[in-house]
Amino acid sequence: MAISIRQLHKHFVGEVSGLDVRQPLTAEQAREIEAAMDKYAVLVFHGQDITDEQQMAFALNFGERENPRGGNVTRKEDYRLDSPLNDVSNLGKDGKPLPRDHRAHLFNLGNCLWHSDSSFRAIPAKYSLLSARVVNPKGGNTEFADMRAAYDALDDETKAEIEDLICEHSLMYSRGSLGFTDYSEEEKEMFKPVLQRLVRTHPAHRRKSLYLSSHAGKVVGMSVPEGRLLLRDLTEHATQPEFVYVHKWTLHDLVMWDNRQTMHRVRRYDQSQPRDMRRATIAGTEPTVKQQLQAAE
Ligand code: OGA
Ligand code: MN
């Protein structure tokens, strides 16, 4: 059966049918999906009851796995998953929701802020593929914003003002904005800021996007307050309902997004109940600005 795609939002998001992601893709199918990602920026696949290995294998059609080091404060011995997926659940190793005051839980709450995955890395992520294994009974929708449409809607004066601006991104900025500020020396080293352009151009179709993220905490050449106000204004603009798609999860949905042209956030949910979400992350291929690549291997 051929793949078919129905657009779910005025600007972006395609709902894909006719594909079982557990089956290996032909080169032609992989190209078709990637072309759809370029166009829709977010793709929704329903009814994909997959294992971690199947999820990773599907993701690897679109690039290489991103090295997860430096993306969280969970100690290796506390990892719940022994697969190559990022654990985006609220669960501990015992399979139960983490206590509300647990450090990893407090850190993970940062996903409720608008962000683009791994914008705190020198080479930020290309795609994220998130699979719903247990859906939380209350809240927990994931929202996506189309940063191309948001860029297009800016006035010419703003476009000119921001064209060449560079921002500093760090997990310490996003978490710091929620009041999470205690880090070990090792974590401070790991979370050192990286530079990203504020306006980036998509490698396939060359459309420009606003490259915003709650990880951005400074604009190079501006005072901190001035820079943060600009970032806030742009974020407020880019996340108006006009540019936002709200995904209400159904068990076994797989949602795939292009971090180079979207932002996302998860809404608050019932932390006393499980929410098991697992993410495969595909690495980007180049920095958005020329800089020393961090020796983060
Ligand atoms: C992510 C993320 C949102 C969610 O996986 O990158 O931000 O809905 N998750 O859990
Ligand atoms: Mn994310």
Side-chain angles (χ1 to χ4, degrees):
M1 183 177 162
I3 300 170
S4 67
I5 301 181
R6 180 170 75 103
Q7 187 158 340
L8 296 183
H9 182 279
K10 177 178 158 199
H11 293 298
F12 69 142
V13 189
E15 181 186 54
V16 181
S17 45
L19 189 74
D20 176 353
V21 308
R22 293 173 304 192
Q23 304 301 326
L25 295 190
T26 62
E28 173 60 27
Q29 283 175 319
R31 267 197 301 275
E32 207 178 324
I33 300 280
E34 182 136 356
M37 283 295 286
D38 292 342
K39 176 171 174 195
Y40 296 102
V42 179
L43 292 177
V44 175
F45 306 77
H46 297 293
Q48 305 291 339
D49 184 2
I50 47 178
T51 64
D52 292 1
E53 288 67 32
Q54 288 165 336
Q55 186 175 343
M56 199 66 224
F58 177 64
L60 290 174
N61 283 293
F62 311 106
E64 289 179 13
R65 177 187 173 222
E66 182 180 86
N67 180 348
R69 189 182 178 276
N72 60 55
V73 294
T74 307
R75 293 181 313 228
K76 200 118 199 121
E77 62 269 27
D78 293 334
Y79 279 0
R80 182 178 66 103
L81 306 178
D82 51 18
S83 72
L85 300 184
N86 301 76
D87 188 3
V88 208
S89 75
N90 64 342
L91 305 173
K93 220 177 167 176
D94 60 0
K96 301 212 174 73
L98 290 166
R100 292 192 88 128
D101 58 353
H102 194 283
R103 190 164 182 265
H105 165 65
L106 299 175
F107 187 84
N108 293 342
L109 287 177
N111 279 338
C112 295
L113 302 174
W114 284 107
H115 65 282
S116 175
D117 288 335
S118 298
S119 74
F120 52 83
R121 297 183 193 278
I123 298 184
K126 178 185 178 189
Y127 293 164
S128 298
L129 298 90
L130 191 61
S131 160
R133 308 298 178 84
V134 174
V135 175
N136 192 265
K138 199 168 144 225
N141 293 339
T142 306
E143 300 182 343
F144 296 89
D146 185 341
M147 305 306 283
R148 310 163 299 186
Y151 175 82
D152 290 346
L154 293 171
D155 59 49
D156 289 345
E157 198 182 330
T158 309
K159 284 181 183 163
E161 181 193 351
I162 65 173
E163 175 68 23
D164 290 317
L165 292 180
I166 306 286
C167 302
E168 275 188 15
H169 291 233
S170 165
L171 276 164
M172 289 192 287
Y173 291 136
S174 48
R175 274 51 190 171
S177 74
L178 290 180
F180 185 102
T181 49
D182 60 321
Y183 299 99
S184 66
E185 286 310 311
E186 188 192 350
E187 286 168 347
K188 281 186 196 155
E189 181 59 28
M190 206 160 70
F191 298 150
K192 268 202 326 229
V194 303
L195 301 179
Q196 305 291 359
R197 295 188 62 89
L198 181 52
V199 177
R200 65 185 297 184
T201 302
H202 194 275
H205 50 58
R206 312 302 298 171
R207 273 181 81 184
K208 288 181 180 172
S209 315
L210 271 173
Y211 192 36
L212 291 166
S213 188
S214 57
H215 308 311
K218 232 175 171 197
V219 179
V220 175
M222 284 187 190
S223 65
V224 171
E226 195 188 1
R228 287 198 187 174
L229 277 175
L230 172 63
L231 294 172
R232 270 199 203 197
D233 276 359
L234 291 172
T235 302
E236 199 173 305
H237 161 78
T239 57
Q240 296 174 82
E242 148 96 14
F243 307 120
V244 172
Y245 161 73
V246 178
H247 188 73
K248 299 184 177 71
W249 293 93
T250 302
L251 185 67
H252 298 145
D253 280 351
L254 177 72
V255 177
M256 173 174 179
W257 62 90
D258 185 344
N259 288 294
R260 302 166 303 181
Q261 41 185 358
T262 57
M263 276 206 293
H264 61 279
R265 67 172 176 181
V266 57
R267 304 316 308 265
R268 288 188 303 132
Y269 56 93
D270 182 354
Q271 291 292 347
S272 69
Q273 298 297 317
R275 181 176 189 267
D276 190 353
M277 310 293 287
R278 304 182 187 192
R279 191 182 88 202
T281 317
I282 294 301
T285 50
E286 63 215 347
T288 64
V289 292
K290 294 209 168 22
Q291 65 176 184
Q292 289 290 113
L293 293 188
Q294 290 194 314
E297 258 66 273

